[in-house]
Amino acid sequence: MIKIDNLKLSKKNKDILSEYKIELTAIKLKKIDTTVESYIEDIYKYLEYIEEKKHINSALNIKEEDIIDYLTYLDKNNYEKTSIVRKIVSIKLFHKYLSEKYHIEDISIKIDKPRVRRKLPNILSIEEVDNLLDIELHTAFDYRTKAMLELMYASGLRVSELVNLQLNDVDTELEVVRCTGKGNKERIVPIGEIASKWVRIYKDNYRSNLIKNKCNKNNYLFLNNHGKVISRSGFFKILKDIAYKKGINKTISPHTLRHSFASHMLNNGADLRSIQEMLGHADISTTGIYLHINNENLKKDYLEHHPRS
């Protein structure tokens, strides 16, 4: 967590930033702490540049050309376009706040976000998913990993949602999982017979073997070798190791299974709105990326198979 008092900023900018953080947390965004922290981090870096390079010690004295100079600086230092777009959003939100609170002109109004071409996510074929999920089962850790992989592919959960599941969040009789996603929104997703079976086998027969201190039990479903909740990075490493051993040469991450889930559902006739609900997307345009994947596949098939392509 950023401690504003320790930042290398003028007292005036520290005071403004502290007030802005309160505003973000309590009124404007009502987001989780990590989201607020990312906005504050963006504005801190922005104000740091403004003080060092432009010698302006109060955010109230920043001009439009100062914003442009900062964005030019980011571009010259090879920041990713997506990162610059995010910083522009943070800066525009900040100056809108300053305008409303201090009754000054919003100098960021004319600053536009560059158009960013969204990268299509990596998708595994059904055969690659079958290969990935077909792991050897010897230890309690193997059964835990098997349950995690089957559940993630069956539900399209985010990795953060997967590792934070509690014991009672998966109902293997009703074959559903309850999870809490972005914005603390809860949703219930069907998971099917196969994932339910492997979660039940792991939970009933192997999870207890991973608990180190029997007197200090926790309610997380998936545990690591210390008997604590498995981390996102820990699961990522396991997934990469399995993919390497299986000879899957694509760039793979836990999100790859989420993308594959959505793409395979769409390919097999699922409604885009249903996929949106299962993925927990607030906006269906986010889910629409999988339509682009299908279009790319159609184009590829056309070019390969049409006699006059």
Side-chain angles (χ1 to χ4, degrees):
M1 183 176 290
I2 297 173
K3 295 186 180 298
I4 292 176
D5 287 341
N6 297 336
L7 300 180
K8 293 181 180 179
L9 292 176
S10 68
K11 184 180 185 305
K12 178 64 175 177
N13 279 335
K14 283 182 184 178
D15 290 343
I16 290 173
L17 199 56
S18 295
E19 292 171 356
Y20 181 53
K21 185 173 182 179
I22 293 170
E23 181 83 358
L24 284 179
T25 305
I27 302 172
K28 290 289 185 187
L29 293 176
K30 298 180 181 177
K31 300 276 187 180
I32 55 175
D33 288 344
T34 51
T35 305
V36 172
E37 289 295 317
S38 67
Y39 277 103
I40 296 300
E41 173 75 15
D42 284 343
I43 298 305
Y44 162 55
K45 293 295 184 183
Y46 168 57
L47 293 177
E48 184 181 48
Y49 169 88
I50 293 296
E51 288 194 13
E52 288 184 3
K53 304 295 184 182
K54 311 295 286 187
H55 309 293
I56 298 171
N57 292 322
S58 171
L60 303 182
N61 296 327
I62 298 173
K63 294 181 172 55
E64 182 183 336
E65 54 263 33
D66 299 320
I67 302 177
I68 294 171
D69 287 346
Y70 177 62
L71 299 177
T72 303
Y73 161 81
L74 295 177
D75 187 52
K76 286 182 177 178
N77 283 272
N78 299 319
Y79 279 76
E80 293 283 344
K81 268 196 175 180
T82 51
S83 176
I84 294 175
V85 168
R86 194 197 73 235
K87 290 177 187 299
I88 291 174
V89 170
S90 297
I91 289 168
K92 288 177 73 69
L93 195 66
F94 178 61
H95 280 288
K96 185 174 186 293
Y97 158 77
L98 294 180
S99 173
E100 292 173 352
K101 182 173 177 61
Y102 295 97
H103 307 290
I104 59 176
E105 180 187 1
D106 182 354
I107 58 169
S108 70
I109 286 179
K110 295 180 182 178
I111 303 296
D112 293 325
K113 295 183 293 182
R115 297 177 70 87
V116 178
R117 189 173 183 271
R118 182 181 286 180
K119 292 181 180 178
L120 296 179
N122 282 323
I123 301 293
L124 298 178
S125 68
I126 293 175
E127 292 75 20
E128 286 171 327
V129 171
D130 288 340
N131 185 22
L132 185 74
L133 270 54
D134 184 23
I135 62 174
E136 294 185 8
L137 300 171
H138 302 294
T139 69
F141 296 112
D142 296 332
Y143 281 92
R144 175 212 59 196
T145 301
K146 173 71 171 174
M148 293 183 78
L149 291 173
E150 292 284 358
L151 181 56
M152 194 168 205
Y153 177 61
S155 61
L157 294 185
R158 300 177 179 93
V159 64
S160 57
E161 296 166 348
L162 180 75
V163 299
N164 283 307
L165 289 175
Q166 305 289 301
L167 283 170
N168 294 328
D169 285 338
V170 181
D171 189 323
T172 57
E173 296 300 320
L174 295 177
E175 299 179 356
V176 295
V177 59
R178 181 181 66 239
C179 67
T180 302
K182 291 184 177 181
N184 289 324
K185 291 182 180 178
E186 186 179 280
R187 68 184 189 280
I188 295 176
V189 183
I191 58 173
E193 182 180 348
I194 296 175
S196 296
K197 179 188 80 171
W198 287 109
V199 170
R200 183 167 57 248
I201 290 172
Y202 159 71
K203 186 165 72 170
D204 292 349
N205 303 318
Y206 295 98
R207 182 182 175 278
S208 60
N209 297 339
L210 304 182
I211 300 172
K212 300 298 182 183
N213 185 349
K214 304 298 181 182
C215 299
N216 187 27
K217 294 183 179 180
N218 65 63
N219 287 321
Y220 287 105
L221 178 58
F222 298 115
L223 306 179
N224 62 17
N225 58 337
H226 300 293
K228 298 179 180 179
V229 59
I230 188 170
S231 66
R232 292 182 297 175
S233 59
F235 179 61
F236 186 14
K237 184 178 184 303
I238 291 168
L239 184 61
K240 283 179 67 177
D241 288 344
I242 294 173
Y244 176 77
K245 290 175 183 176
K246 294 285 187 177
I248 299 173
N249 296 320
K250 293 179 179 177
T251 301
I252 192 168
S253 72
H255 230 60
T256 307
L257 279 176
R258 176 172 162 88
H259 293 318
S260 301
F261 157 83
S263 183
H264 296 169
M265 289 283 290
L266 193 61
N267 284 342
N268 285 289
D271 179 72
L272 196 63
R273 288 281 181 190
S274 299
I275 297 172
Q276 177 193 3
E277 290 293 324
M278 287 183 275
L279 292 176
H281 286 160
D283 191 334
I284 198 166
S285 64
T286 308
T287 320
I289 187 68
Y290 302 107
L291 287 174
H292 293 297
I293 295 169
N294 281 0
N295 289 340
E296 289 294 319
N297 289 337
L298 285 173
K299 195 183 301 180
K300 181 181 176 184
D301 285 344
Y302 178 86
L303 292 173
E304 287 182 0
H305 302 295
H306 195 283
R308 293 184 182 271
S309 63

